[in-house]
Coordinates of all heavy atoms in Angstrom, one line a residue:
L28 N -4.8 -8.4 9.5 CA -4.2 -7.7 10.6 C -2.9 -7.1 10.1 O -2.6 -5.9 10.4 CB -3.9 -8.6 11.8 CG -3.2 -7.9 13.0 CD1 -3.9 -6.7 13.5 CD2 -3.0 -8.9 14.2
K29 N -2.1 -7.8 9.4 CA -0.8 -7.3 8.9 C -1.1 -6.2 7.9 O -0.3 -5.2 7.9 CB 0.0 -8.5 8.2 CG 0.6 -9.5 9.1 CD 1.2 -10.6 8.4 CE 1.8 -11.7 9.3 NZ 2.4 -12.8 8.5
Q30 N -2.1 -6.4 7.1 CA -2.5 -5.3 6.1 C -2.9 -4.0 6.8 O -2.4 -2.9 6.5 CB -3.7 -5.8 5.3 CG -4.1 -4.8 4.2 CD -5.5 -5.2 3.6 OE1 -5.8 -6.4 3.4 NE2 -6.3 -4.2 3.3
A31 N -3.7 -4.1 7.9 CA -4.1 -3.0 8.7 C -2.9 -2.3 9.3 O -2.8 -1.0 9.4 CB -5.1 -3.4 9.8
I32 N -1.9 -3.1 9.9 CA -0.7 -2.5 10.5 C 0.1 -1.7 9.5 O 0.5 -0.6 9.7 CB 0.1 -3.6 11.1 CG1 -0.6 -4.2 12.4 CG2 1.5 -3.1 11.6 CD1 0.1 -5.5 12.9
A33 N 0.3 -2.4 8.3 CA 1.0 -1.7 7.2 C 0.4 -0.4 6.8 O 1.0 0.6 6.5 CB 1.2 -2.7 6.0
E34 N -1.0 -0.4 6.7 CA -1.7 0.8 6.4 C -1.5 1.9 7.4 O -1.3 3.1 7.0 CB -3.2 0.6 6.2 CG -3.5 -0.1 4.9 CD -5.1 -0.3 4.7 OE1 -5.8 0.7 5.1 OE2 -5.5 -1.4 4.3
L35 N -1.5 1.6 8.7 CA -1.4 2.6 9.7 C 0.0 3.1 9.9 O 0.2 4.3 10.2 CB -1.9 2.0 11.1 CG -3.4 1.8 11.2 CD1 -3.7 0.9 12.4 CD2 -4.2 3.1 11.3
L36 N 1.0 2.2 9.7 CA 2.4 2.7 9.9 C 3.0 3.1 8.6 O 4.0 3.8 8.5 CB 3.2 1.5 10.5 CG 2.9 1.2 11.9 CD1 3.7 0.0 12.4 CD2 3.2 2.4 12.9
G37 N 2.4 2.6 7.5 CA 3.0 2.9 6.2 C 2.4 4.0 5.4 O 2.2 3.9 4.2
N38 N 1.9 5.0 6.1 CA 1.2 6.1 5.5 C 2.2 6.9 4.6 O 1.8 7.8 3.8 CB 0.5 7.0 6.5 CG 1.4 7.4 7.6 OD1 2.6 7.2 7.6 ND2 0.8 8.0 8.6
D39 N 3.5 6.7 4.7 CA 4.4 7.4 3.9 C 5.1 6.4 3.0 O 6.3 6.1 3.1 CB 5.5 8.1 4.8 CG 6.2 9.3 4.1 OD1 5.7 9.6 3.0 OD2 7.2 9.8 4.6
L40 N 4.3 5.9 2.1 CA 4.8 4.9 1.2 C 5.2 5.5 -0.2 O 4.4 6.3 -0.7 CB 3.7 3.9 1.0 CG 4.0 2.4 0.6 CD1 4.9 1.7 1.7 CD2 2.7 1.6 0.5
Y41 N 6.3 5.0 -0.8 CA 6.6 5.5 -2.1 C 6.2 4.4 -3.1 O 6.6 3.2 -3.0 CB 8.1 5.7 -2.3 CG 8.5 6.1 -3.7 CD1 8.3 7.4 -4.2 CD2 8.9 5.1 -4.6 CE1 8.6 7.8 -5.5 CE2 9.3 5.5 -5.9 CZ 9.1 6.8 -6.3 OH 9.4 7.1 -7.7
V42 N 5.4 4.8 -4.1 CA 5.0 3.8 -5.1 C 5.2 4.6 -6.5 O 4.7 5.6 -6.7 CB 3.5 3.5 -5.1 CG1 3.1 2.5 -6.2 CG2 3.1 2.9 -3.7
G43 N 6.1 4.0 -7.3 CA 6.5 4.6 -8.6 C 7.5 3.8 -9.4 O 7.8 2.7 -9.0
T44 N 8.0 4.3 -10.5 CA 8.9 3.6 -11.4 C 10.3 4.4 -11.3 O 10.4 5.6 -11.6 CB 8.4 3.6 -12.8 OG1 7.1 3.0 -12.8 CG2 9.3 2.8 -13.7
L45 N 11.3 3.6 -11.0 CA 12.7 4.1 -11.0 C 13.4 3.7 -12.2 O 13.3 2.6 -12.7 CB 13.4 3.6 -9.7 CG 12.8 3.9 -8.4 CD1 13.7 3.4 -7.3 CD2 12.6 5.4 -8.2
R46 N 14.2 4.6 -12.8 CA 15.1 4.3 -13.9 C 16.5 4.2 -13.4 O 17.2 5.2 -12.9 CB 15.1 5.5 -14.9 CG 13.8 5.7 -15.7 CD 13.9 6.8 -16.7 NE 14.6 6.4 -17.9 CZ 15.9 6.7 -18.1 NH1 16.5 7.6 -17.3 NH2 16.5 6.4 -19.3
L47 N 17.0 3.0 -13.4 CA 18.4 2.7 -12.8 C 19.3 2.2 -13.8 O 19.2 1.1 -14.3 CB 18.3 1.7 -11.6 CG 17.4 2.1 -10.4 CD1 17.5 1.0 -9.3 CD2 17.7 3.5 -9.9
P48 N 20.3 3.0 -14.2 CA 21.3 2.5 -15.2 C 22.2 1.5 -14.5 O 22.2 1.3 -13.3 CB 22.1 3.8 -15.5 CG 21.9 4.8 -14.3 CD 20.6 4.4 -13.8
Q49 N 23.1 0.9 -15.3 CA 23.9 -0.2 -14.8 C 24.8 0.2 -13.6 O 25.1 -0.6 -12.7 CB 24.8 -0.8 -15.9 CG 24.0 -1.6 -16.9 CD 24.8 -2.2 -18.0 OE1 26.0 -1.9 -18.1 NE2 24.2 -2.9 -18.9
Q50 N 25.3 1.5 -13.6 CA 26.2 1.9 -12.5 C 25.4 1.9 -11.2 O 26.1 2.0 -10.1 CB 26.8 3.2 -12.8 CG 25.9 4.4 -13.1 CD 25.7 4.6 -14.6 OE1 25.6 3.6 -15.3 NE2 25.7 5.9 -15.0
L51 N 24.1 1.9 -11.2 CA 23.3 1.8 -9.9 C 22.8 0.4 -9.7 O 21.8 0.2 -9.0 CB 22.1 2.8 -10.0 CG 22.5 4.3 -9.9 CD1 21.3 5.2 -10.0 CD2 23.2 4.6 -8.6
G52 N 23.6 -0.6 -10.2 CA 23.2 -2.0 -10.0 C 23.1 -2.4 -8.5 O 22.3 -3.2 -8.2
R53 N 24.0 -1.8 -7.7 CA 24.0 -2.1 -6.3 C 22.6 -1.7 -5.7 O 22.0 -2.5 -4.9 CB 25.1 -1.4 -5.6 CG 25.3 -1.7 -4.1 CD 26.4 -0.9 -3.5 NE 26.5 -1.1 -2.1 CZ 27.2 -2.0 -1.5 NH1 27.8 -2.8 -2.2 NH2 27.2 -2.1 -0.1
M54 N 22.1 -0.5 -6.0 CA 20.8 -0.1 -5.5 C 19.7 -1.0 -6.0 O 18.8 -1.3 -5.2 CB 20.5 1.4 -5.9 CG 19.2 1.9 -5.3 SD 18.7 3.5 -5.9 CE 19.7 4.6 -4.9
R55 N 19.8 -1.4 -7.3 CA 18.8 -2.3 -7.8 C 18.8 -3.6 -7.0 O 17.7 -4.1 -6.6 CB 19.2 -2.6 -9.3 CG 18.3 -3.7 -10.0 CD 18.8 -4.0 -11.4 NE 18.1 -5.2 -11.9 CZ 18.5 -6.5 -11.6 NH1 19.6 -6.7 -10.9 NH2 17.8 -7.5 -12.1
A56 N 20.0 -4.2 -6.7 CA 20.0 -5.4 -5.9 C 19.5 -5.2 -4.5 O 18.7 -6.1 -4.0 CB 21.5 -5.9 -5.8
Q57 N 19.7 -4.0 -3.9 CA 19.2 -3.7 -2.6 C 17.6 -3.7 -2.6 O 17.0 -4.1 -1.7 CB 19.8 -2.4 -2.0 CG 21.3 -2.6 -1.6 CD 21.9 -1.3 -1.4 OE1 21.6 -0.2 -1.9 NE2 22.9 -1.3 -0.5
L58 N 17.1 -3.1 -3.7 CA 15.7 -3.0 -3.8 C 15.0 -4.4 -3.9 O 14.0 -4.7 -3.3 CB 15.3 -2.1 -5.0 CG 15.5 -0.6 -4.8 CD1 15.4 0.1 -6.2 CD2 14.4 0.0 -3.9
F59 N 15.7 -5.3 -4.6 CA 15.2 -6.7 -4.7 C 15.3 -7.4 -3.4 O 14.4 -8.1 -3.0 CB 16.0 -7.4 -5.8 CG 15.4 -7.3 -7.2 CD1 16.0 -6.4 -8.1 CD2 14.3 -8.1 -7.6 CE1 15.4 -6.3 -9.4 CE2 13.8 -8.0 -8.9 CZ 14.3 -7.1 -9.8
D60 N 16.4 -7.1 -2.7 CA 16.6 -7.7 -1.4 C 15.5 -7.3 -0.4 O 15.0 -8.1 0.5 CB 17.9 -7.4 -0.8 CG 19.1 -8.1 -1.4 OD1 18.8 -9.1 -2.1 OD2 20.3 -7.6 -1.3
L61 N 15.0 -6.1 -0.5 CA 14.0 -5.6 0.4 C 12.6 -6.1 -0.1 O 11.6 -5.8 0.7 CB 14.0 -4.0 0.4 CG 15.2 -3.4 1.1 CD1 15.2 -1.9 0.8 CD2 15.0 -3.6 2.6
G62 N 12.5 -6.7 -1.2 CA 11.2 -7.2 -1.7 C 10.3 -6.0 -2.2 O 9.1 -6.1 -2.2
A63 N 11.0 -4.9 -2.6 CA 10.2 -3.7 -3.0 C 9.9 -3.7 -4.5 O 9.1 -2.9 -4.9 CB 11.1 -2.4 -2.6
V64 N 10.5 -4.5 -5.3 CA 10.3 -4.5 -6.7 C 9.1 -5.3 -7.1 O 9.0 -6.5 -6.8 CB 11.6 -5.1 -7.5 CG1 11.3 -5.0 -9.0 CG2 12.8 -4.3 -7.1
Q65 N 8.1 -4.6 -7.7 CA 6.9 -5.3 -8.2 C 7.1 -5.9 -9.6 O 6.6 -7.0 -9.8 CB 5.7 -4.2 -8.3 CG 5.5 -3.4 -7.0 CD 4.9 -4.3 -5.9 OE1 3.8 -4.8 -6.0 NE2 5.6 -4.4 -4.8
S66 N 7.8 -5.2 -10.4 CA 8.1 -5.7 -11.8 C 9.3 -5.0 -12.3 O 9.7 -3.9 -11.8 CB 6.9 -5.5 -12.7 OG 6.7 -4.1 -12.9
E67 N 9.9 -5.6 -13.4 CA 11.1 -5.0 -14.0 C 11.1 -5.2 -15.5 O 10.8 -6.3 -16.0 CB 12.4 -5.6 -13.4 CG 13.7 -5.0 -14.0 CD 15.0 -5.6 -13.5 OE1 14.9 -6.8 -13.2 OE2 16.0 -5.0 -13.5
V68 N 11.4 -4.1 -16.2 CA 11.6 -4.2 -17.7 C 12.9 -3.4 -18.0 O 13.4 -2.6 -17.2 CB 10.4 -3.7 -18.5 CG1 9.2 -4.6 -18.3 CG2 10.1 -2.3 -18.2
H69 N 13.4 -3.6 -19.2 CA 14.6 -2.8 -19.6 C 14.2 -2.0 -20.9 O 13.5 -2.5 -21.8 CB 15.7 -3.7 -19.9 CG 16.2 -4.4 -18.7 ND1 15.7 -5.6 -18.3 CD2 17.2 -4.1 -17.8 CE1 16.3 -6.0 -17.2 NE2 17.3 -5.1 -16.9
D70 N 14.7 -0.7 -21.0 CA 14.4 0.1 -22.2 C 15.5 -0.3 -23.2 O 16.4 -1.1 -23.0 CB 14.4 1.6 -21.9 CG 15.7 2.1 -21.4 OD1 16.7 1.5 -21.4 OD2 15.7 3.3 -20.9
E71 N 15.5 0.4 -24.4 CA 16.4 0.1 -25.5 C 17.9 0.4 -25.1 O 18.8 -0.1 -25.7 CB 16.0 0.9 -26.8 CG 15.9 2.3 -26.7 CD 14.5 2.7 -26.2 OE1 13.7 1.9 -25.8 OE2 14.2 4.0 -26.2
E72 N 18.1 1.3 -24.1 CA 19.4 1.6 -23.7 C 20.0 0.6 -22.6 O 21.1 0.7 -22.1 CB 19.5 3.0 -23.1 CG 19.2 4.1 -24.2 CD 19.0 5.5 -23.5 OE1 19.4 5.6 -22.4 OE2 18.4 6.3 -24.2

């Protein structure tokens, strides 16, 4: 039921990869708080 509700109301869902440098650490923390982060890796920079 929860899945069906999410499908019906969440038709405008963003799924993708964001590149967040250290100065956007606050946004990164907020995304984790929302439970939106599926996985995280760091590049050479």
Side-chain angles (χ1 to χ4, degrees):
L28 177 57
K29 288 176 182 177
Q30 182 191 327
I32 293 170
E34 282 185 41
L35 288 168
L36 290 176
N38 50 9
D39 199 12
L40 204 62
Y41 176 82
V42 181
T44 304
L45 300 181
R46 293 183 73 257
L47 299 186
Q49 287 181 357
Q50 58 265 38
L51 290 177
R53 185 181 173 89
M54 183 186 280
R55 175 186 169 275
Q57 288 169 330
L58 287 165
F59 271 100
D60 287 344
L61 289 168
V64 180
Q65 307 288 298
S66 66
E67 180 185 28
V68 295
H69 294 85
D70 66 10
E71 53 276 10
E72 297 169 18

